[in-house]
Amino acid sequence: SKQSRQKKNLKITKEMTGATIDATALVWGSAAIGFAPFACFFFQIVYPKSQLLIVSTSSAFFFLLASLFASLLWYILDPAIGLSSAWSALIPGVFFQFVFRCGFVALYHKVEAVIELSFEKTEEEQQHAASSGDDPDPTQHADLQAAKKKLALNDAACALAAGTGFGGLHAILLFGSILASETS
């Protein structure tokens, strides 16, 4: 009797371990599918350049703001007019994503204009110093040109960084909550 209970317990333990291994593999596989594109773009393109990291973080923040405002609108209107269909959540979500992405692009262009203005002001100061007879440091002009080239803000890498911010945070919120509920 004792030996049969031990065999039964061993059989149950083996079945539980097999199920646990399968569930663990499923969670890791799902995490790889959900987060691998974000991780590849983030660590290969965004992370090495600090300005791209700022762009990515800013766009992720704008995604959070859009989600917040869509949720607030739905939270306020649901009790008032009884929003019960999928469209009632979809339409405010799409609208606020559109508005906040446009807001992000507008802010991005303003920041880019301020940085360009700063470069122009520095160039004018260097030209004024050269024309007034001061002996300007010749490396300053080369440094400014190198900084302009290094800070290229209007290229494909910036677009990928912004998309990585929006899409990466969306993946984290969507797949992260699914994986968290699956593992608990």
Side-chain angles (χ1 to χ4, degrees):
S1 152
K2 184 177 180 183
Q3 199 174 29
S4 65
R5 272 189 276 148
Q6 286 177 344
K7 284 183 181 180
K8 196 176 197 180
N9 287 341
L10 183 61
K11 184 179 178 183
I12 292 171
T13 305
K14 282 184 181 179
E15 288 174 4
M16 286 175 49
T17 305
T20 304
I21 290 172
D22 291 346
T24 303
L26 179 65
V27 167
W28 280 103
S30 299
I33 289 171
F35 299 128
F38 165 68
C40 288
F41 279 114
F42 184 78
F43 288 112
Q44 290 181 353
I45 296 171
V46 175
Y47 188 71
K49 291 179 117 180
S50 59
Q51 69 265 24
L52 295 181
L53 194 58
I54 292 169
V55 169
S56 181
T57 305
S58 301
S59 67
F61 178 71
F62 273 80
F63 174 83
L64 277 178
L65 287 177
S67 298
L68 173 73
F69 278 85
S71 299
L72 284 175
L73 180 71
W74 189 84
Y75 185 74
I76 292 168
L77 291 181
D78 182 40
I81 58 177
L83 304 172
S84 60
S85 71
W87 290 104
S88 62
L90 187 67
I91 291 172
V94 170
F95 173 74
F96 281 110
Q97 284 295 326
F98 172 75
V99 167
F100 278 91
R101 285 181 190 211
C102 290
F104 171 74
V105 170
L107 179 67
Y108 180 81
H109 286 302
K110 285 181 183 179
V111 169
E112 188 178 31
V114 167
I115 291 172
E116 288 295 325
L117 187 65
S118 172
F119 279 139
E120 289 174 7
K121 185 177 178 183
T122 305
E123 278 182 341
E124 287 176 6
E125 289 173 357
Q126 287 178 355
Q127 288 175 356
H128 180 68
S131 66
S132 67
D134 293 342
D135 188 25
D137 186 9
T139 59
Q140 281 184 340
H141 183 69
D143 289 343
L144 182 62
Q145 294 304 322
K148 279 176 122 178
K149 190 174 183 179
K150 186 177 180 182
L151 191 63
L153 287 173
N154 201 359
D155 60 355
C158 286
L160 285 173
T164 300
F166 275 107
L169 191 59
H170 185 249
I172 289 169
L173 291 178
L174 180 69
F175 292 118
S177 62
I178 291 171
L179 287 174
S181 68
E182 192 64 35
T183 57
S184 61

